[in-house]
Structure formats: C-alpha cells, structure tokens
Amino acid sequence: MRVLRFFEAHNTAYMVMELVGGQPFGEWVKRNRPLAETGLLAVMRPVLDGLAMIHAMGFVHRDIKPGNIHMRSDLDPCLLDFGAARKLVSDKGGELTAIVTPGYAALEQYHSHGHQGPWTDLYSVAAVMYGVITGQRPIEAPARARTDPLPKALDVGDRNLYSEVLLRAVDWGLAPAEEDRPRSVQAFVQALPRTDLTQPASSPPATIRADAPSGSNTLDTALAAQLEAALARHLGPMASVLVRRRMKEHTTLGPLRAALANDIDGETSRRSFLERTEALLRSEPPSRPATTPAPSRGAISQPPSDPATAASTPAPAFDPQFLAAVEAELAHHLGPLAALLVRRSAAKARDRAELFLLLADHIADADQRRAFIRKSVAAFKSKV
C-alpha cells in the first residue's frame, strides 16, 4: 500500500496512505470456505512475492496474520501494517523489540534477542496457511518449544482439497526451531506446488476453448487471437503479452475477458472492448471481426510449459536511457522502489511490452495502473 504523503504536526509525524476497498483475509476466507489449494496459493503467492522484495531490502515484516492481509475488491491481496517491521543489521538477525501475535508469531519474536530474519516471516505465512487448511489458529509458539502438541498439517489437512506437497511445505514453515525452517522466500516457494499443476477439488468450470474436448484446458488459438486483436485497438503491441499473462490467471472466458477489460484505461474504451468480444461468450464469431490485426509475435495459445524453454530465450539488453525514462515514470507511483523494480523486471522481460506489464503489476491502484500502461503504449510509438 502506497504512502501518498507524510507531514509533521502537533509534534507528531503522520502518513497519508491510499484507501483500499475490500475486506480482511480472515473475513474473506469465512465467506469463501472451503478455500481449496488453488485459491489459497492464488492469495499467498503474491504475499510471498512482496515479502521477497521486503527481505531483499533488509527488512522483516514481523506481524503477518489474517488481519494484516487485505483482500482488495479485485481479489488482489495487499500486505498491511508495517508498524512492526524492522531492518536487520545482518543476515544473522539482531536485537529487535518483542512483537507477537499469538499463534502467528515465531518463538524468536518473544524476546528481544531472538534470532529474527526471513524465516520469522515465513513462520507467520505458514501459520496463516495452516489456519485456512485446518480452520484453527496454530498453538502459540512457546507452547511448542519442548514437546510440540500442534497436529501436523500433513496429518489433519483434507486431501481432497490439499496436496501432500502443500501440506509438507506448511509444516516446514511452521517448524518451532528457526534453524529447521526455510531460510528464504525462494526456498519456501520452491517447496510449494506449481500453480499450473494444481487443480481445485471441485469440478473445474468450462474451459476457455470453445471447441475443446471435455477436460481440456487449452485455449483455442482463434479465440485468443480475437481477444488479442480486440485488445490491440486499445493497448497496441502490449495486447499479445497481456493476453498470454491473463490466460495464466483465468481458465474461463468470462473472468479472462473481464480481467483484460480492467487493463484498459477509460470507461468508454473498456465498454467498447466488452461489446466487441461479447459474442465470444456464446462461442460464436464476433458479428464484426476486428479489423486491426494483432502483431505476430509467435504462438499465443499457451505459455511455455517447460521452464527450460522459457529460460532459453535471453532477456534483451534494454537501452539505459529507455530504462531511466521508465524508472522516472514508475517513480511517480512507487517512489524510490522504482529503481529496484525496473532493474529486476528488465532482467526478466523479453521485450518492452512484457517489461511494462511486469512493472504495472506493482501498482496497487487500478486507475494508476491503467494510466501507467497507457503511457507505456505511447512509449512504443515514441520509441523512447
């Protein structure tokens, strides 16, 4: 959540932060039970991505709990309340004030000389996941120090909803002794199931492909091309990358179409896109096919299924002047963090379109995110 401004008055420092709609994660879970593995990972992976960035800057959050994870109206989780966050002197931890939330705080948080670090936040993340899986808050860490009475997630988790891989990862993160836990977010994420291999326990909804056989999750190439062409009228060359990315997040046409519309700046343009693609919901060709062809940039039916395949395409070397301009624009939304994000995203992106979308994902406010994408589209034309 962004800090919009800060000031001093009445011998007190104040921060003005953006107002985010939605509800606390704990309340959201109660209304969406049972939350199966796919849904749980869809929430926790963005939280872990944010933690990785915080840890990379030398900070630990120290108060992760359901009340500090806010589900925005668009179901994008937001990590709140950095009042307990502290900067570590080194990766060996350091003397920190004792901040605890029973059930979610690791043992090392109960005294000021505890060995706190990324593993401390990961305990809290695992505790949140354990609460979703079992419906019960974990036992307080001090009560687990000698003989651990907490039932393992592996033993009590519903195997119809959660895989053994996920349950073992949660138990690892909840280890009472900090040296027995994952040392980094990356290590914990690698222990989690791959999102594209997990399936919800309930019957999957109809797939995006209009003519796909039962059980197929393959997007029809022609259908994807029509979505891309319609989107290209508003977002230009970025459309193909955006369609591929949103396909990873949505397996049915309705939510995919709505997500793409949300990436368009301006109510009139969004309505135009929705009207142009409405016929696709009936598995029929649009009455007025798009006349602006989408740029051909390779197959768009599916992202590479093999990570090695994706890794074989080297990231381009972006012009430093171009990256400086991108960083200056992103700084309007994210401040000093823009430099780090541009550097990291430039190492991953295969082209300018993907770079802009990677960066846009870090802008919380939907209107500002669309504004950033709109200016990015203009950058294609200006060849900054």
Side-chain angles (χ1 to χ4, degrees):
M1 184 178 297
R2 295 171 57 242
V3 175
L4 302 178
R5 59 173 297 204
F6 60 90
F7 60 91
E8 294 184 11
H10 310 296
N11 297 318
T12 305
Y14 297 87
M15 291 189 303
V16 181
M17 305 177 73
E18 63 175 313
L19 178 63
V20 177
Q23 58 186 317
F25 179 61
E27 295 180 9
W28 182 83
V29 168
K30 291 178 182 178
R31 299 177 182 178
N32 290 275
R33 285 194 179 278
L35 187 62
E37 180 168 303
T38 304
L40 178 57
L41 290 175
V43 174
M44 300 314 298
R45 285 187 182 276
V47 172
L48 288 165
D49 288 343
L51 274 182
M53 186 175 301
I54 296 167
H55 294 165
M57 300 176 72
F59 289 87
V60 284
H61 186 281
R62 303 202 306 152
D63 196 21
I64 298 170
K65 55 188 176 184
N68 282 342
I69 298 175
H70 192 77
M71 298 300 293
R72 295 188 179 97
S73 300
D74 60 1
L75 302 185
D76 187 22
C78 178
L79 187 58
L80 305 178
D81 195 355
F82 282 74
R86 294 293 184 272
K87 187 172 180 64
L88 297 175
V89 176
S90 67
D91 59 3
K92 296 181 180 181
E95 182 176 346
L96 297 172
T97 54
I99 301 290
V100 299
T101 297
Y104 300 102
L107 181 61
E108 60 267 22
Q109 290 182 259
Y110 280 78
H111 52 98
S112 60
H113 290 275
H115 189 198
Q116 299 184 38
W119 48 88
T120 306
D121 284 340
L122 291 174
Y123 181 97
S124 302
V125 169
V128 172
M129 297 175 72
Y130 184 94
V132 173
I133 292 168
T134 66
Q136 299 293 327
R137 184 179 66 182
I139 298 171
E140 292 186 39
R144 306 179 59 206
R146 294 186 178 180
T147 303
D148 186 6
L150 182 69
K152 297 287 188 183
L154 186 63
D155 297 331
V156 297
D158 187 342
R159 296 300 183 89
N160 293 319
L161 296 175
Y162 308 104
S163 67
E164 179 179 344
V165 175
L166 176 70
L167 298 176
R168 288 187 181 277
V170 170
D171 286 336
W172 185 28
L174 266 178
E178 57 91 3
E179 62 269 16
D180 294 334
R181 288 180 232 135
R183 309 305 289 173
S184 67
V185 170
Q186 181 181 10
F188 186 65
V189 168
Q190 288 176 346
L192 294 174
R194 284 179 53 188
T195 304
D196 58 346
L197 296 181
T198 58
Q199 295 294 335
S202 57
S203 300
T207 58
I208 296 173
R209 180 171 176 174
D211 59 350
S214 177
S216 170
N217 280 332
T218 303
L219 175 65
D220 180 78
T221 304
L223 190 62
Q226 291 178 73
L227 284 171
E228 182 181 326
L231 190 64
R233 289 175 170 266
H234 310 284
L235 298 182
M238 296 178 68
S240 60
V241 178
L242 195 54
V243 168
R244 287 201 303 270
R245 294 193 66 198
R246 294 295 179 249
M247 281 165 47
K248 297 178 183 178
E249 303 166 1
H250 304 282
T251 58
T252 53
L253 179 58
L256 171 63
R257 179 169 162 267
L260 292 172
N262 195 48
D263 289 311
I264 300 173
D265 187 44
E267 182 60 33
T268 301
S269 297
R270 282 196 294 274
R271 189 162 51 246
S272 173
F273 171 80
L274 291 173
E275 291 174 353
R276 185 171 294 277
T277 58
E278 183 176 3
L280 299 179
L281 293 174
R282 301 188 295 272
S283 301
E284 299 173 357
S287 58
R288 289 172 47 186
T291 57
T292 303
S296 176
R297 301 188 342 159
I300 63 170
S301 59
Q302 284 184 313
S305 58
D306 182 2
T309 303
S312 64
T313 303
F318 294 104
D319 178 68
Q321 185 179 0
F322 165 73
L323 290 180
V326 173
E327 179 185 328
E329 179 59 37
L330 188 64
H332 292 306
H333 307 281
L334 300 179
L337 192 59
L340 174 64
L341 293 176
V342 169
R343 187 165 61 249
R344 292 180 61 180
S345 299
K348 299 177 183 178
R350 288 167 292 185
D351 51 36
R352 288 187 175 188
E354 188 170 16
L355 174 64
F356 289 135
L357 291 174
L358 285 172
L359 295 173
D361 282 346
H362 295 285
I363 302 175
D365 183 84
D367 292 334
Q368 293 189 25
R369 185 164 58 246
R370 286 191 291 266
F372 177 79
I373 292 176
R374 184 184 68 247
K375 290 186 178 181
S376 301
V377 172
F380 270 102
K381 301 176 180 179
S382 62
K383 300 295 182 182
V384 176

